[in-house]
Amino acid sequence: MLIALLPGDGIGPEVIAQARRVLDVVVGDRLTYEEGLVGGAAYKAVGHPLPEATMEIARRADALLFGAVGDPDCDALERRLRPEQAILGLRAGLSLFANLRPAKLFPELADASALRPEVASAIDLVIVRETNGDVYFGEKGIRTNAAGRREGYDIMCYDEDEVSRIARVGFETARARRGKLCSVDKANVLETSQLWRDVVIEVSADYPDVQLSHMYVDNAAMQLVRNPGQFDVIVTGNLFGDILSDQASMCAGSIGMLPSATLDANNKGLYEPIHGSAPDIAGQGKANPLATILSAAMMLRYSLGLPAEADRIEAAVAKALAGGVRSPDLGGTHTTAQLGDAVLAAL
Ligand SMILES: NC(=O)c1ccc[n+]([C@@H]2O[C@H](COP(=O)([O-])OP(=O)(O)OC[C@H]3O[C@@H](n4cnc5c(N)ncnc54)[C@H](O)[C@@H]3O)[C@@H](O)[C@H]2O)c1
Ligand SMILES: CC(C)[C@H](C(=O)O)[C@@H](O)C(=O)O
Ligand SMILES: [Mg+2]
C-alpha cells in the first residue's frame, strides 16, 4: 500500500519523522512511501504550495500522511500561493469532505487539561467537520464598495447535498458510538445555517436510533468548556469545526494531542494532526508528535484496513504517557524524539 508522505513546514517534518518510526515498527514494509513537497517548502522549491507532482502522488496513494503547512516567510504572498492553500487544495482536489477530529482525554493527562480534572475526564467526542465548503470555498475577494472603501468578502455557502452527505457521516459516526449527534450551527442568524439545520433534520429520518440535538455555535463553544462530557458526536461546518476543534484540544490536554482523518466518499483519507506548523517552536525539538502518531493510527484503521495495528499504536501512546513522558505543551521537558522513543519502547 502506498502512502503519500507530506511533511510540509515548521514542525511538520519533525512530527512526521516520529510517526514514520512508529509505522516502520508496526507495519514495516507492508507500506511504501512517496514523499511530496507541500506548503512553504514547495513554494520555495518550485514556486507553488501544491505542485502537480505532489497531486499526482496524492491521487495514486492509498492514503496521505500530512504534517503541517504555514511559513511566516510566505505571509505576504497572494492567497493562491500561500502555504495553507496546499491543505485546502488537497481537501478540494481529492474531495476529502469529512474531517473527523476525535478529542479524548488520556487519563494520564488530566493534569494537562485546561479544565478541572473531573470535568476534563468526561471528554470523549468526535467533531465531524465538513471540509469542502463554507466560507473557505465561497466567492471571495477585496473590492471597492459604493462608499469608495475597500471591502473584504467571503461568501458562506452550502448546498443541500453537501450538508446531507456530511450529516450522514455524522449520523453514522454517532451510530457506531454512543448514539448522540449534536449539529452545531448559527441558525438564529445565518440562512446557510437554517438550510443546514433543515437538511440535518430531513436526514435524521433515516437514523431513528440516533438522538439528534441542535446547538448554536457560541453556546457550543461555552458548553465544550463547561461540560464536554455531554457531547458524543458534533457535526458542523468548515469554519465552526476548525475553531471548535482547537478548543476541544485544550480540554483534552494539548493541541499536540489531537489527530484527524479527512475522508472522501470511499474512505480514502488524508491524516494529519489538527495543529499547524508552530513556527514559534519549529526546529527546537519541542513539538509533541503524539497527534501525528495517533493520526497514523487513524490511517491504519480508516483507509488501510489494519485496525489491530491501529489499536497497538494507540495503546503504546497511552503506555508512553503512563510512563511519564511529557513534551513542554504537556508540562514536561522531553523532546520530540524522546516522545517517539517512549512510544517505540512501549511497542
Ligand atoms: N493543517 C495545517 O497544516 C495547519 C493547521 C493550523 C494552522 N496552520 C498554519 O500554521 C501556522 C501557524 O499557525 P498558528 O500558530 O495559528 O497555529 P499552530 O497550531 O501552528 O500553533 C498554535 C500554538 O500551539 C503550539 N503547538 C502547535 N502544535 C504543537 C505541537 N505539536 N506540540 C506543541 N505545541 C504545539 C504552537 O507552538 C503555538 O504556540 C500558520 O501558517 C497557520 O496557517 C496549518
Ligand atoms: C491551515 C488552515 C487552512 C486549516 C483550516 O482552517 O482548515 C487548519 O487550521 C486546520 O485546522 O486544518
Ligand atoms: Mg485549524
Side-chain angles (χ1 to χ4, degrees), residues 61-307:
D62 297 290
L64 292 72
L65 188 60
F66 187 95
V69 289
D71 181 340
D73 292 351
C74 299
D75 280 353
L77 290 173
E78 61 175 294
R79 184 167 43 81
R80 71 182 181 88
L81 294 176
R82 284 188 57 121
E84 291 83 351
Q85 291 300 313
I87 186 67
L88 301 180
L90 285 163
R91 289 173 186 161
L94 299 175
S95 299
L96 303 167
F97 69 94
N99 183 206
L100 310 184
R101 297 188 156 188
K104 189 177 160 127
L105 184 81
F106 284 87
E108 299 78 11
L109 292 184
D111 56 323
S113 170
L115 308 181
R116 290 193 307 281
E118 69 275 17
V119 180
S121 63
I123 189 170
D124 180 4
L125 58 85
V126 179
I127 295 176
V128 176
R129 168 192 178 201
E130 202 288 333
T131 41
N132 277 176
D134 204 345
V135 289
Y136 281 69
F137 294 103
E139 192 191 332
K140 53 181 67 227
I142 296 175
R143 60 192 170 201
T144 304
N145 66 17
R149 291 192 289 268
R150 285 173 304 157
E151 175 177 270
Y153 60 98
D154 300 84
I155 304 291
M156 178 178 274
C157 183
Y158 266 122
D159 85 27
E160 57 185 326
D161 287 2
E162 288 175 316
V163 179
S164 63
R165 73 177 177 173
I166 195 67
R168 286 186 188 285
V169 176
F171 281 106
E172 295 288 343
T173 307
R175 181 177 266 177
R177 288 172 47 98
R178 302 194 299 276
K180 280 170 56 180
L181 180 67
C182 180
S183 173
V184 170
D185 62 34
K186 188 75 184 171
N188 49 352
V189 177
L190 303 174
E191 292 289 340
T192 319
S193 281
Q194 188 56 61
L195 177 77
W196 175 283
R197 194 174 279 220
D198 292 347
V199 173
V200 170
I201 291 169
E202 286 160 24
V203 172
S204 73
D206 292 340
Y207 298 89
D209 51 319
V210 175
Q211 184 195 325
L212 173 66
S213 61
H214 304 273
M215 196 179 277
Y216 299 133
V217 63
D218 45 352
N219 184 25
M222 185 276 284
Q223 296 291 345
L224 262 180
V225 174
R226 193 183 77 128
N227 175 18
Q230 72 187 281
F231 297 110
D232 178 14
V233 179
I234 290 173
V235 65
T236 192
N238 207 345
L239 184 62
F240 298 157
D242 178 42
I243 298 166
L244 292 179
S245 53
D246 266 33
Q247 184 169 338
S249 76
M250 276 316 292
C251 302
S254 167
I255 180 101
M257 290 302 300
L258 252 62
S260 79
T262 316
L263 306 174
D264 73 3
N266 303 310
N267 281 0
K268 175 165 174 171
L270 180 152
Y271 297 84
E272 57 169 338
I274 75 154
H275 62 71
S277 59
D280 55 334
I281 57 166
Q284 301 171 38
K286 290 183 181 164
N288 181 345
L290 296 181
T292 311
I293 291 171
L294 293 168
S295 300
M298 290 184 85
M299 175 176 85
L300 301 183
R301 178 173 294 116
Y302 288 101
S303 288
L304 303 183
L306 298 170

